[in-house]
Amino acid sequence: MEFVVEKTDGDTLFRLVLGLVVPRPIGWVSTVSREGVLNIAPFSFFNAVNDEPPVLMISVSDRDDGTPKDTVRNILETGEFVVNLVTEDLFEKMLVTGEDFPPEVDEFEKAGLTPEPSKFVKAPRVKESKVSFECRLFRHEKVYDMHLILGEALLISVEDGIVDEEGRVDYNRLRILGRLGGKYYVRVLPECLIRAEGG
Ligand SMILES: Cc1cc2nc3c(=O)[nH]c(=O)nc-3n(C[C@H](O)[C@H](O)[C@H](O)COP(=O)(O)O)c2cc1C
């Protein structure tokens, strides 16, 4: 099958892109509003675009009514955010934070998550998350209707026992979660790992 983009409707393109560009990592982004309200939401249009220094990207749509989501509003207002990673044990809580709550609602409280002070930014980390990147806004661009947010990481914090001193990751312990299309997710289990030999 082939889909000529110009002749394909938006819902189908959405399903194709989200279903085929997989598995995607999930950036669980915590921010704080100018008024001090904590916010957290998951984004699977998420990846790294540079390593030295680390620069991460998320891509965020506006709400149906055309207003920016709280994450974007907070990042543009404060210039700071934290990207936490989602592991198997946090699946249900992550789903709660994907719901659309009004700006005055503390989503940490809603999901039963513990905010932990960050070292370099005002936005808190998620205590329950095994990995957090404290980021300063590097650039904000529009890509058609999406907000492309690039953040430069100032600090990477990793729970003890998951990486060694030189940064090598133990995937048996990380148990990271990935996003597929529709309502599907994927676990990275030890028995599913494939190790490339040589090179
Ligand atoms: C696993 C998952 C991944 C998501 N990825 C994105 C994404 O990449 N971009 C986006 O705009 N929304 C994405 N969403 C939806 C947002 O998380 C949702 O709109 C959220 O309510 C935004 O919250 P906020 O208004 O507090 O920023 C995703 C939701 C889930 C559950």
Side-chain angles (χ1 to χ4, degrees), residues 82-94:
V82 178
V83 182
N84 308 273
L85 296 188
V86 180
T87 44
E88 221 181 305
D89 50 323
L90 295 171
F91 180 53
E92 300 294 338
K93 290 184 194 288
M94 180 277 292

Side-chain angles (χ1 to χ4, degrees), residues 90-104:
L90 295 171
F91 180 53
E92 300 294 338
K93 290 184 194 288
M94 180 277 292
L95 288 180
V96 174
T97 66
E99 290 168 34
D100 192 13
F101 295 106
E104 63 275 13

Side-chain angles (χ1 to χ4, degrees), residues 11-12 19 22 31 37 49 55 65 68 77 79 84 99 120 126 133 142 171 178 183 187 190 194:
D11 288 348
T12 306
V22 291
T31 53
V37 181
V49 296
V55 177
D65 66 3
E77 278 180 9
N84 308 273
E99 290 168 34
F120 288 88
V126 174
F133 295 82
K142 284 304 289 280
Y171 293 104
K183 292 191 179 299
R187 294 186 186 94
I194 305 171

Side-chain angles (χ1 to χ4, degrees), residues 49-159:
V49 296
N50 197 51
D51 59 333
E52 197 182 333
V55 177
L56 307 182
M57 57 94 18
I58 54 165
S59 182
V60 186
S61 63
D62 283 329
R63 296 203 184 92
D64 292 342
D65 66 3
T67 58
K69 293 182 180 178
D70 297 334
T71 301
V72 167
R73 204 206 47 224
N74 291 350
I75 292 174
L76 296 184
E77 278 180 9
T78 62
E80 296 178 344
F81 58 104
V82 178
V83 182
N84 308 273
L85 296 188
V86 180
T87 44
E88 221 181 305
D89 50 323
L90 295 171
F91 180 53
E92 300 294 338
K93 290 184 194 288
M94 180 277 292
L95 288 180
V96 174
T97 66
E99 290 168 34
D100 192 13
F101 295 106
E104 63 275 13
V105 171
D106 178 335
E107 296 181 3
F108 276 78
E109 222 171 275
K110 275 275 166 208
L113 293 164
T114 319
E116 184 174 60
S118 293
K119 295 235 162 67
F120 288 88
V121 299
K122 285 204 191 77
R125 301 182 203 161
V126 174
K127 189 171 195 294
E128 291 80 0
S129 178
K130 293 183 171 64
V131 182
S132 303
F133 295 82
E134 296 185 16
C135 295
R136 187 170 53 204
L137 178 62
F138 177 75
R139 200 156 295 159
H140 167 240
E141 301 274 352
K142 284 304 289 280
V143 176
Y144 288 96
D145 288 339
M146 303 292 281
H147 297 268
L148 173 66
I149 303 273
L150 299 175
E152 181 171 332
L154 308 174
L155 182 87
I156 305 171
S157 75
V158 189
E159 190 180 285

